[in-house]
């Protein structure tokens, strides 16, 4: 069971057709640093790729969870079964009102294969089983690949903007 009496949501393994979404562990940092090492991945989100040590420190914070008991940080790595390698991540921040803000990233060598869309669909389906009411994502208007992932997961763009990004939304439950 992924939710406990405190109403937090906890990441669980999620299988899809070609991927296994595994809850993030600090030990994933070294392999993920390689998978996400292309600076082009930061075109729309800013920053630069993390070193293995930097990513390890980040993963330690993420795995520790949100300091706010009303917020759940759920993070997964994406393992491509046919290659048995990590290719990206998905994440969901679930708030007390059962809204989940999601995001995804797939390493450059594995892009263009529908893996981000597959992972996002799997994540959204899993969130629906966790009594999440609404899923949102923030997509840069100049990033058609990310917009395609959001659309594939069932989200639609809204008229709302935040920090120059369009808010996409999918109601799951009333």
């Amino acid at each position: 069971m992924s939710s406990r009496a405190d109403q937090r949501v906890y990441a669980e393994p999620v299988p899809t057709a070609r991927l296994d979404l595994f809850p993030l562990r600090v030990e994933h940092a070294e392999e993920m640093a390689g998978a996400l090492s292309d600076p082009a991945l930061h075109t729309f989100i800013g920053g630069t790729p993390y070193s293995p040590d930097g990513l390890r420190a980040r993963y330690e914070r993420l795995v520790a969870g949100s300091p706010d008991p009303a917020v759940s940080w759920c993070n997964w790595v994406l393992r491509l079964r046919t290659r048995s390698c990590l290719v990206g991540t998905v994440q969901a921040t679930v708030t007390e009102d059962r809204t989940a803000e999601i995001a995804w990233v797939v390493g450059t060598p594995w892009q263009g294969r529908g893996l981000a869309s597959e992972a996002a669909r799997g994540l959204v389906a899993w969130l629906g089983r966790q009594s999440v009411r609404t899923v949102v994502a923030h997509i840069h208007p100049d990033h058609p690949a990310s917009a395609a992932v959001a659309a594939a997961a069932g989200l639609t763009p809204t008229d709302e903007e935040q920090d120059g990004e369009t808010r996409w939304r999918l109601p799951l439950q009333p």
Side-chain angles (χ1 to χ4, degrees), residues 75-132:
N75 296 275
W76 292 262
V77 293
L78 312 177
R79 183 177 68 87
L80 181 60
R81 273 191 223 104
T82 59
R83 302 281 300 276
S84 194
C85 64
L86 300 181
V87 299
T89 63
V90 291
Q91 62 189 53
T93 299
V94 183
T95 57
E96 190 171 36
D97 70 355
R98 308 312 278 179
T99 296
E101 184 168 326
I102 65 170
W104 50 84
V105 63
V106 169
T108 304
W110 301 281
Q111 290 180 2
R113 302 177 191 188
L115 296 174
S117 294
E118 182 177 323
R121 283 191 304 269
L123 174 60
V124 167
W126 182 85
L127 289 166
R129 294 189 296 273
Q130 310 310 308
S131 300
V132 165

Side-chain angles (χ1 to χ4, degrees), residues 10 17 35 38 70 76-77 111 162 173:
Y10 297 89
D38 185 351
W76 292 262
V77 293
Q111 290 180 2
Q162 181 178 337
Q173 299 177 8

Side-chain angles (χ1 to χ4, degrees), residues 24-48:
L24 180 71
R25 294 190 334 248
V26 174
E27 296 79 26
H28 293 133
E30 188 163 340
E31 186 175 354
M32 287 306 305
L36 303 178
S37 64
D38 185 351
L41 290 174
H42 295 266
T43 300
F44 296 102
I45 60 172
T48 58

